[in-house]
Amino acid sequence: MSPPPAHLTRSEFETASKALVDDAREGGDALAQRHLREWSWVEHASVSGLGYLSRTVLLSRRPGCRSYELGFTDGLDGEAILEEEDGATLSDADPSDTVVCRQYVVYSPTYQVPVFYFTIHASNGAPLSLEDILRSSLFRPDTLPPSQITSFALSPDSSPFPLLSQGDHPTLGTPSWYVHPCETPKAVGEILAEVQRPQGTATKELMRVWFAVLGGVVDLRP
Amino acid sequence: MSTYGARHAPSAFSTPASIALFRRLTWEGTVPLEIRVDGKELPANSNRGLECYFVQAPRVSYLPLLVPEVRQFLMDVVFDENGGRVVKEEEWWFEREDGGLVKWHWPIGLIYDTYTTSLAPAAAAAASPVPLKLVLHLASPPTDKLLLQPSADACKQAFMGQLKEADFLRWGSTKRMTGLRKQEQDGIWDGIKEHNFDTYWRIASKITPTPSPNAQGGRSPSPAPVPPSSASMVHTRPPSAEPGAGSDANRDAATSVRSVPVRIYLPDGPVLQDLVPPTLDDGAPHILGRFLHSHLPLLFPAPPGPSELAYAVVQGVLCPMDAEMAWLGACMAGADGWVSVCVGIGRFGG
C-alpha cells in the first residue's frame, strides 16, 4: 500500500518554514544548510497569514557550459526537435551572463503543499524567455522529462499539468513562473515513509523532504 | 444587456430549471468596457478620434479573446489599407487607463468586479454601471512589467489550469477533468471562445457539481437573487461511507465536494483562498456570512445580519449573506470553476 500523500496546513507551513530557516541560520547539518541558506520569511504588508519564504540569488546563463539535451516538440509545428546546445555557439552572447533569480516558497491552498515560484531577469531587467530559463543554471541538467515547450509553459508529455508555467504569486499577486505541485505530495509522501530518524516535528521533516525533492530538479544551492 | 445590479428572482427550489436559470444568467452577464487605442501607436493615416471601442463583454470571457473583434473594428473604422498590414497582434497589450496593469488571464467579469469594488464608494454609486476604461497598446510590450504576452493560447492554458485546480479542490483529484477526452477539454474552451452556453455546458456539466435534486423548503424573496436552500441534508462524508448512497446524484452533489473552489478578492489587496467545506462541523450548510466572518471577522461580524462595513459581490451581484457556498459553487461560479467573492468596503451602491 503506498504511503499517504504528504500535506500540511497553512499554519504548519508557516511554523515549519520558520523553524527550518532558523536551523539553517544557526548551523545545523550541512545538507540542511545548502538547500536552505539565505531564505527569509516574509509577511504580506497588511494581511496576516499569507507569509512565504523568499530569497534572491544570482545565476548564470551558462555560456561555455554544455547545456543538457532536451527532447521536446515545438508547440507550434509539432516537429520533434532534439536539441543539443553547445554553449560556445549560443548567439545571444550577453556581456553579462549573470541573471537575477527571485525565489519564493509559497503555500498552495489548493494542493496544501509548498510550491516553488520564481522570476528571473537579465541584468538589464528583461525577463528571460522560457528557453533561456531552461538553459540557465536554475535547473539541474538532464532532470526534466520530455516535454512540449511554448513561450509560456513546459508541459511534460506524461502529465496533464505543465511542469513549469506562469501564475500570480499567491501573496504578491505579481506574475511569476512556478513548478507545478501536483506530483509533490506523492513524491514527498514516499520519501517520508522511508525516513528512519526524523529530526524534529513531522511537518518540519515534510518541509525538509520537500526541499530535497525540489532540489532534485531545481539547483537550490545559492 | 448589462446585468450589473441586483437581479430579482422568485423564491426558487433547487430544481433543474433554477440551476439552469442561474447558470444561464451567469453565462450571459456582460460588463461595459471602453477600449481606447494609444494614439501614439496608431499607424500613419489612421482616422484619429475614432480609435475607441465600446463593448459589452461577456463576464466569462477573456481580454485576449476580444482582440479579433477589436482588430476588425480598427480595420474597418480606423486604419487605412496599410495600417492593417503594419500592426502585429503579438505586440498588443492592455493597460488600465489609470496606469494599472491588467490581469489579462483573469475572466473579464473578475477584472471588472475587482475594479468596481476598489473604487471609492461615491464613484461606485454611479447611477449607471461605470465602464472599465482600458488602453490598448499596439506595440512595445514592457518586458519588465509583463512576463508574457496575452496570447489566446496562453490564456487557454491558464484557463484549463484553473479548471483543473477547481476539480482538484472539489474531489481531491483531477480525475473528472483528465477523464475528459482532449476533444472535450478543447470543447470547453471553444464554448468560451464562441461564447456558446450549450457548447460549454455540454461538457462542463460532466465536471461541475449540481445542487442535490431533493431540496426541501425555500426562502421568501429578497431583493437580490435568492439562492434556494439546498437543504439536501447530504453529509460531506464520501458517498462510499454511506450505505445506499452510491447514486450518481449524490456523488456529484454540490454538497458532497471536499471544498468549494472560492477566492476572496480584497479591494487593491491580496487574494485569499482556503478550504470551503459545503457543510460545517455542526451540520449546518456553510453560508457566505459565516465564510466571510471566519476570514474577515472585522469586516464581517457574525451572521445572520449583513455587515454595515463591507459587502460581497459575486458575478457583479450583491450576494446575500445566507447564500450557501455549495449552491454558489454549482450555479454562480465562473466558467473556470471558481466562485470569486469580491469584497467592497462600505455599502453596496454607496
Side-chain angles (χ1 to χ4, degrees):
Chain A
M1 191 181 92
S2 53
H7 295 121
L8 72 177
T9 65
R10 189 186 285 280
S11 63
E12 285 169 341
F13 167 73
E14 178 167 339
T15 313
S17 299
K18 288 176 174 171
L20 281 181
V21 166
D22 285 343
D23 272 4
R25 223 171 260 146
E26 284 158 28
D29 65 272
L31 184 59
Q33 270 198 303
R34 265 223 307 217
H35 281 135
L36 302 171
R37 258 198 288 171
E38 293 168 29
W39 291 96
S40 48
W41 181 260
V42 180
E43 292 276 350
H44 185 274
S46 44
V47 177
S48 68
L50 292 178
Y52 55 93
L53 289 172
S54 168
R55 73 175 183 184
T56 303
V57 298
L58 296 178
L59 302 171
S60 80
R61 282 185 192 264
R62 270 213 272 241
C65 300
R66 193 188 174 95
S67 184
Y68 56 97
E69 287 184 16
L70 174 68
F72 59 82
T73 42
D74 184 313
L76 295 173
D77 60 20
E79 277 182 12
I81 307 167
L82 196 66
E83 214 172 282
E84 231 182 69
E85 295 280 334
D86 181 340
T89 65
L90 282 175
S91 54
D92 52 329
D94 195 41
S96 155
D97 75 315
T98 304
V99 293
V100 178
C101 184
R102 287 202 186 86
Q103 303 180 338
Y104 310 97
V105 178
V106 193
Y107 180 72
S108 163
T110 299
Y111 300 101
Q112 297 180 279
V113 288
V115 182
F116 181 67
Y117 279 76
F118 66 93
T119 61
I120 183 165
H121 294 79
S123 46
N124 64 359
L128 262 58
S129 68
L130 182 52
E131 292 197 5
D132 283 343
I133 293 176
L134 295 173
R135 287 191 203 113
S136 77
S137 55
L138 180 63
F139 287 95
R140 291 182 181 276
D142 304 320
T143 55
L144 296 173
S147 310
Q148 280 209 28
I149 185 168
T150 59
S151 62
F152 48 86
L154 185 70
S155 307
D157 302 328
S158 55
S159 167
F161 285 96
L163 175 63
L164 258 190
S165 56
Q166 302 212 358
D168 293 335
H169 184 290
T171 302
L172 298 172
T174 48
S176 356
W177 293 98
Y178 69 100
V179 175
H180 203 282
C182 60
E183 292 298 317
T184 311
K186 187 157 152 280
V188 173
E190 284 173 2
I191 295 178
L192 273 180
E194 301 294 319
V195 167
Q196 302 289 351
R197 278 172 296 139
Q199 309 165 36
T201 64
T203 50
K204 197 164 138 195
E205 198 57 30
L206 191 156
M207 288 287 304
R208 201 192 301 277
V209 171
W210 180 86
F211 268 102
V213 168
L214 180 72
V217 171
V218 175
D219 192 340
L220 288 174
R221 295 166 298 178
Chain B
M1 178 188 78
S2 171
T3 55
Y4 185 77
R7 290 195 287 259
H8 293 261
S11 76
F13 296 90
S14 286
T15 60
S18 72
I19 299 168
L21 170 68
F22 280 97
R23 285 178 175 176
R24 171 73 74 163
L25 286 172
T26 301
W27 182 266
E28 299 296 344
T30 60
V31 295
L33 299 183
E34 183 186 302
I35 302 178
R36 184 175 61 77
V37 178
D38 187 339
K40 301 192 287 294
E41 293 154 4
L42 286 173
N45 301 325
S46 293
N47 257 329
R48 289 171 188 276
L50 294 175
E51 67 276 8
C52 198
Y53 184 67
F54 297 87
V55 61
Q56 284 289 143
R59 286 180 154 274
V60 300
S61 185
Y62 294 82
L63 283 178
L65 296 179
L66 292 184
V67 162
E69 66 183 85
V70 176
R71 190 204 165 93
Q72 191 59 50
F73 163 77
L74 291 175
M75 300 277 283
D76 290 345
V77 173
V78 179
F79 295 159
D80 74 347
E81 292 145 16
N82 288 328
R85 266 177 259 140
V86 160
V87 290
K88 292 185 239 164
E89 271 163 58
E90 322 78 78
E91 304 262 302
W92 290 18
W93 57 284
F94 292 92
E95 192 178 29
R96 284 197 359 200
E97 192 158 86
D98 58 13
L101 271 186
V102 177
K103 299 221 183 253
W104 56 263
H105 57 292
W106 283 11
I108 292 176
L110 178 59
I111 298 174
Y112 185 84
D113 287 343
T114 49
Y115 161 65
T116 56
T117 50
S118 69
L119 291 176
S128 53
V130 180
L132 172 60
K133 296 187 180 177
L134 298 173
V135 176
L136 171 61
H137 293 274
L138 304 182
S140 317
T143 47
D144 60 327
K145 281 194 278 180
L146 287 178
L147 210 49
L148 52 72
Q149 266 51 269
S151 70
D153 283 335
C155 201
K156 174 180 179 182
Q157 171 142 87
F159 170 79
M160 299 305 283
Q162 290 303 309
L163 261 187
K164 288 171 186 165
E165 265 200 56
D167 202 32
F168 184 88
L169 259 183
R170 290 182 189 126
W171 312 110
S173 82
T174 53
K175 279 206 292 274
R176 279 169 173 74
M177 270 295 292
T178 51
L180 296 176
R181 295 192 303 275
K182 172 134 197 338
Q183 210 180 353
E184 291 177 303
Q185 292 194 20
D186 290 344
I188 297 185
W189 181 246
D190 289 342
I192 308 265
K193 268 199 306 195
E194 299 154 22
H195 196 58
N196 187 313
F197 180 85
D198 294 319
T199 307
Y200 171 83
W201 275 108
R202 183 173 354 167
I203 304 157
S205 54
K206 297 188 186 183
I207 56 175
T208 309
T210 53
S212 176
N214 41 310
Q216 300 162 30
R219 289 183 198 273
S220 50
S222 57
V226 180
S229 163
S230 70
S232 58
M233 304 307 159
V234 175
H235 294 285
T236 48
R237 259 174 279 151
S240 56
E242 293 199 315
S247 69
D248 278 352
N250 280 343
R251 188 171 54 87
D252 292 332
T255 41
S256 299
V257 300
R258 212 165 53 105
S259 168
V260 182
V262 183
R263 289 184 177 125
I264 301 177
Y265 294 81
L266 295 173
D268 298 323
V271 181
L272 306 180
Q273 187 193 327
D274 202 356
L275 288 179
V276 183
T279 311
L280 298 171
D281 292 335
D282 57 11
H286 198 172
I287 58 173
L288 185 62
R290 280 183 78 166
F291 172 60
L292 289 173
H293 173 66
S294 62
H295 288 83
L296 301 165
L298 298 177
L299 287 178
F300 294 95
S307 167
E308 295 288 319
L309 302 168
Y311 59 91
V313 162
V314 176
Q315 298 290 356
V317 178
L318 178 67
C319 200
M321 290 296 128
D322 59 358
E324 292 182 19
M325 301 310 296
W327 187 89
L328 287 174
C331 299
M332 283 184 75
D336 61 0
W338 288 83
V339 177
S340 300
V341 179
C342 297
V343 170
I345 307 297
R347 297 180 132 261
F348 181 74

